[in-house]
Amino acid sequence: MPTHTADDGRTGDGRTGDGRNTHPAEALHFDESRRRIAEAAAYLAGGVSSNFRLGISPTPLVIERGDGAHLIDADGNRLIDYYLGMGPMILGHTPADVIAAVQRQLPNGILYGGQIALEAEAARLVCEMVPCAERMRFASSGSEAVQAALRIARAATGRRVVVKFAGHYHGWFDNILWSTTPPPDAAGPVAGSRGQLPDAGAEIDVLPWNDLPALRERLARGDVAMVIMEAAMCNQGSIFPLPGYLEGAREACTKAGSVLVFDEVITGFRVGPGGAQAHFGVTPDLATFAKAIANGFPVAAIAGRAELMDQLAQGVMHGGTYNGQAVSMAATVATLRRLRDPATFAGLEARGTRLMEGMRRHFAEAGIPAVVAGFPTIFHVALGMDQPARDWAGLAGFDRRRYVAFTTALLRHGVRALERGAWFLSTEHDEEVVDATLAAVGRALREI
């Protein structure tokens, strides 16, 4: 987009040369991102490399660089970012300690096909921080870590059936992408994609979450290898477990001889050093991690009881060329060292709480029903609702169309928030950033 530099260093569209918005109340434009996405579509399917980046209003953004809590896009807009890479960037986009650790490793090599001290140190930190982690293995994505959990649980129990819950997401592979956003009246597993093998769901049973009698009844049949859930339902709605639900699920799985798995790809190292399992005080048999574990580097993990994890050295196959890759391990160690410091989360939680309370106040003053629920470091905003949901069906009142109008208006005022309702915070979202966000929320609500 053409710009003209004025004598004071501002460009003709109200931004400085480094992308800072000098008139944040003025609506931003995204023409260059739109043009580049259309151009890239000649080579990238849909112009993107993940379906979760498709169809964003007013356009998927093309990013030039990150800076703390901000992104600068192809149009020169400086945006407060609550995507945070879909969750991983808990230390912000440019953490000096993580960058320095990566720079120290790079001259020594990238990928060895062998073990390194950094990998063992990262594993030690995971095992010290996570309650269930007696042993662990690294992977490259959360989807892969879930596949390892499936294989371990079936090998350990000799059973085939897996219980999951409506609205919970555990990766994009055929054997687990079921009923992530099912119709309210769905009977049985609902495929999440065209081209998905119908019989891949033959061993999947889908239950409503937070319904302990339903889970106990299903487990009583004695054929369930594994129960997998988000310990707090953060992919959809940031819905907390009801009092006693996780404890009851733990007891029921132990009684039935089924492996209890917490998918902590989102909550792990984000809601606290020990993840959701430490927060709620319930320890699963296995847990999967990704996202915040390495602040944006492609690292995932599976961790759990030693007798389960040791099966990976006793005939249960788990592989991956990039598992434990040297540069990523350097980033993992640097990230986890910061996240185990209680002061890191004290600041995050204080600012996240203030942001949530400020948003509730803005919605109330605007007369717009909305539920702001979840953890201070990962919460969800649902327009059109006046009570928190307790499961996927309870999100039926979420006015998604109006919420997209809200996030589109927010983007024009310099704040980037996910259209599905999730808001991720980083250590770089300081008091000034929170103030600017709340001001933008007020302006956006006046528009919608």
Side-chain angles (χ1 to χ4, degrees), residues 92-110:
H93 289 288
T94 47
D97 47 354
V98 177
I99 292 170
V102 168
Q103 289 173 334
R104 286 193 298 270
Q105 175 57 38
L106 278 170
N108 296 322
I110 298 169

Side-chain angles (χ1 to χ4, degrees), residues 211-227:
D211 186 339
L212 191 54
L215 178 59
R216 284 174 171 156
E217 181 180 351
R218 181 62 190 86
L219 287 172
R221 290 158 59 179
D223 61 343
V224 174
M226 174 173 122
V227 174

Side-chain angles (χ1 to χ4, degrees), residues 49 153 173 189 240 245 324 326 340 343 354 373 399 415 418:
S49 286
F173 291 106
F240 278 16
Y245 179 73
R340 69 179 177 177
R354 191 166 79 84
D399 189 342
V415 174
L418 278 161

Side-chain angles (χ1 to χ4, degrees), residues 27-51:
L28 306 180
H29 300 280
F30 306 94
D31 299 335
E32 181 62 14
S33 277
R34 186 179 286 106
R35 186 193 70 77
R36 292 196 195 179
I37 290 292
E39 184 179 75
Y43 310 100
L44 288 167
V48 299
S49 286
S50 168
N51 277 31

